[in-house]
Amino acid sequence: MGHLVSINPATGEELARYPAFDSQQIQTCIAQAHERFQSYRRIPFAQRSAWLKRVAGILEERKAEFGRLISLEMGKTLASAVAEVEKSAWVCRYYAEEAEGFLAERSMLLRNAYANASGAEHFASRSGIRYQPLGVILAVMPWNFPFWQVFRCAAPALMAGNTLLLKHASNVPQSALTLERIFQEAGFPPGVFQTLLITAAQVAEVVADERVRGAALTGSEAAGSSLARLAGQHLKKTVLELGGSDPFIVLPSADLETAVTTAVAARLINNGQSCIAAKRFILHRAIAEPFTAAMTERFRQLKVGDPLDPQTDVGPLATANILQEVDGQVQALVQAGAKVHVGGSPLGGNFYPPTILSEIPPDQPVAHQEVFGPVALLFTVPDVSAAIELANSTPFGLGASAWTTDPEEQERLLEELEAGSVFINGMVKSDPRLPFGGIKRSGYGRELGREGILEFVNVKTIWVK
Ligand code: NAP
């Protein structure tokens, strides 16, 4: 069986190495999760909420320690890693407060009875909806937000009364084990949250197990499609949060200064490795030149380097493979005739410079792919219709940001952009209170908000006469 290896992407140093679980260890964890579910599902909301608030407290108290671990293991800047831990605490507090209300039994009295074939009236003295947990849920998670992605799945799942098995990305095993310890320290009973140190190939065994009732995956299209195939075979509910190639549309009435500042942040968040990073900048021709010049100037000024150094703006990419893939996409575009405004070639190690490309041939396949690094693709369009058409021309549909002060344009963009979320005059961001997810090849189902907690529950219709 393989190993899960933690490597500091800034230095290449191996930090830790763990053998992957064997089948017996996997079976023990599934059995424990399943057995614990029988008692955990009956624990009152108030107790689950107290444990989850304790998790939030631990995250807040030790955010510097956890932030450093995240930064060392996958390369994001220390400040952004600490912010990720704080946001993870927020989602725990949010569901700790709101879950009971979201899942409260709903009465639906059917006042207009209808007569059935025998003429008897068909109505209940009591009817409505009761929300119940499903059981053991598998969470397959990515390395790019090693804490946040897990908490936004785990907090609602555990508040609903499910138990959870985490299969984290293979390159962040230390984060994965730390997360398990945090839930234990907060007082959750053993078996409620367990980390499986397994490879992608071992996911099949877990999904196939009768005791596992659902699976959430955040990651690439390939991984999502593979999990969905397995889940289909075994008839399991899934939620998929996959890739994106989010558009960032700028129209003439926009506040250009704010749009440029936000564009830089939106492209470079997490060293450019975020599903909802703005990836394609679709600029109205009236503002394309000044926008490009200003964005290029900002990119030039950014410091690439050690993620633990507070002066650093952009750290390394998380693995050598990611860097190779990003550089391959950039070189393909350059060979096809794209113009490089800044950056455009690796800096050594896992470091890649903030890069801006324009004049991209529309038939170039990379123009429609996700570029998972600090690379902005710029496109120029004549009007809002062309902007929407280009924005919708990828197979993805995760988020979209558009900049205009014209109310009619705003309404059109809200209505016509094919995406799970549309932000006008703001950056696409996840927020525990708002549902988050995609359409098309960006996946299905939702996390966060009320919709997020309803994904892994039995919406049970109850009817009593
Ligand atoms: P990835 O390679 O797909 O890995 C994600 C997770 O899936 C890892 O735990 C990985 O395990 C596992 N996995 C990979 N192949 C699998 C398979 N065939 N069957 C079952 N599990 C499998 O993605 P990544 O490179 O870590 O993350 C980047 C991608 O995630 C990007 O496309 C990004 O847009 C997307 N993402 C989406 C969201 C969202 O909310 N929509 C959020 C963050 C990231 P191993 O590590 O062991 O291979």
Side-chain angles (χ1 to χ4, degrees):
M1 204 43 78
H3 280 79
L4 309 183
V5 187
S6 178
I7 294 173
N8 180 345
T11 62
E13 182 197 354
E14 183 174 314
L15 303 172
R17 169 181 289 264
Y18 307 88
F21 284 9
D22 59 22
S23 187
Q24 201 177 349
Q25 287 170 293
I26 295 174
Q27 289 304 316
T28 304
C29 290
I30 296 176
Q32 200 180 358
H34 179 67
E35 199 172 309
R36 177 61 63 191
F37 172 66
Q38 314 309 328
S39 56
Y40 181 68
R41 64 180 304 175
R42 299 187 200 293
I43 290 195
F45 278 107
Q47 177 62 75
R48 290 183 209 149
S49 169
W51 287 327
L52 199 56
K53 284 182 181 165
R54 183 68 200 122
V55 168
I58 292 171
L59 292 171
E60 285 156 355
E61 285 155 24
R62 292 164 58 191
K63 62 185 178 187
E65 171 196 338
F66 299 142
R68 190 177 157 81
L69 172 63
I70 293 173
S71 196
L72 282 174
E73 212 168 30
M74 55 66 66
K76 74 176 62 179
T77 61
L78 185 57
S80 60
V82 171
E84 178 179 335
V85 179
E86 289 169 344
K87 194 168 172 181
S88 302
W90 180 19
V91 77
C92 291
R93 290 199 188 282
Y94 170 74
Y95 279 111
E97 293 289 346
E98 303 295 338
E100 186 167 8
F102 289 153
L103 301 182
E105 186 166 314
R106 279 173 64 201
S107 169
M108 299 179 75
L109 269 183
L110 309 175
R111 294 184 198 289
N112 298 322
Y114 74 91
N116 68 13
S118 65
E121 278 198 328
H122 185 80
F123 66 95
S125 50
R126 176 181 165 209
S127 52
I129 298 170
R130 181 173 292 180
Y131 300 97
Q132 294 185 318
L134 292 183
V136 183
I137 304 299
L138 170 69
V140 182
M141 291 291 137
W143 47 265
N144 64 340
F145 293 92
F147 272 47
W148 165 247
Q149 294 293 350
V150 174
F151 282 107
R152 77 182 199 182
C153 175
L158 299 193
M159 280 309 296
N162 298 296
T163 57
L164 196 121
L165 296 172
L166 169 65
K167 181 272 180 276
H168 218 324
S170 299
N171 57 325
V172 291
Q174 295 193 84
S175 294
L177 291 170
T178 302
L179 292 164
E180 184 180 60
R181 280 196 296 274
I182 292 170
F183 282 95
Q184 281 168 4
E185 282 177 34
F188 277 98
V192 172
F193 181 104
Q194 295 175 85
T195 288
L196 302 177
L197 290 178
I198 58 173
T199 62
Q202 293 173 291
V203 166
E205 177 180 343
V206 184
V207 174
D209 194 290
E210 192 56 34
R211 295 163 293 186
V212 174
R213 301 280 189 233
L217 181 142
T218 298
S220 59
E221 288 170 86
S225 158
S226 164
L227 183 92
R229 207 165 37 243
L230 281 168
Q233 191 182 342
H234 298 285
L235 298 173
K236 305 283 165 78
K237 167 77 189 273
T238 51
V239 170
L240 299 181
E241 299 281 3
L242 309 179
S245 185
D246 284 9
F248 187 103
I249 299 171
V250 188
L251 296 170
S253 65
D255 170 350
L256 217 55
E257 171 71 19
T258 313
V260 170
T261 304
T262 311
V264 172
R267 176 56 284 205
L268 298 179
I269 179 174
N270 220 34
N271 305 338
Q273 304 159 116
S274 168
C275 53
I276 47 165
K279 290 169 188 147
R280 296 174 300 133
F281 295 82
I282 300 174
L283 312 173
H284 190 285
R285 63 182 169 209
I287 51 84
E289 247 184 69
F291 186 97
T292 306
M295 193 171 175
T296 303
E297 190 46 37
R298 302 281 180 88
F299 266 37
R300 267 192 224 292
Q301 288 164 7
L302 297 171
K303 186 168 178 286
V304 181
D306 176 5
L308 298 178
D309 178 347
Q311 304 301 318
T312 296
D313 299 300
V314 181
L317 297 183
T319 65
N321 281 348
I322 294 165
L323 183 130
Q324 269 170 21
E325 198 168 318
V326 168
D327 191 46
Q329 289 172 309
V330 168
Q331 300 320 323
L333 289 172
V334 171
Q335 280 192 357
K339 177 174 171 186
V340 183
H341 294 262
V342 58
S345 50
L347 298 171
N350 281 351
F351 294 95
Y352 207 85
T355 295
I356 295 181
L357 304 177
S358 70
E359 297 172 29
I360 292 149
D363 56 347
Q364 232 300 316
V366 177
H368 306 281
Q369 294 169 358
E370 176 176 44
V371 182
F372 214 57
V375 179
L377 308 186
L378 272 45
F379 302 83
T380 303
V381 289
D383 54 33
V384 65
S385 300
I388 293 171
E389 192 181 334
L390 183 59
N392 291 342
S393 71
T394 74
F396 299 105
L398 195 54
S401 171
W403 294 71
T404 169
T405 53
D406 178 330
E408 276 179 33
E409 283 180 349
Q410 291 180 352
E411 190 45 41
R412 252 196 96 178
L413 290 155
L414 290 172
E415 184 63 23
E416 294 179 29
L417 285 171
E418 296 169 0
S421 59
V422 177
F423 284 59
I424 303 288
N425 298 327
M427 176 170 155
V428 179
K429 276 187 181 163
S430 57
D431 179 317
R433 299 162 295 185
L434 298 174
F436 182 98
I439 58 168
K440 295 159 77 179
R441 292 185 73 88
S442 292
Y444 51 75
R446 290 293 177 266
E447 289 187 315
L448 305 177
R450 176 178 155 80
E451 286 72 11
I453 202 169
L454 295 180
E455 292 285 359
F456 291 113
V457 294
N458 173 15
V459 180
K460 183 187 268 183
T461 296
I462 54 171
W463 192 99
V464 182
K465 189 166 178 174

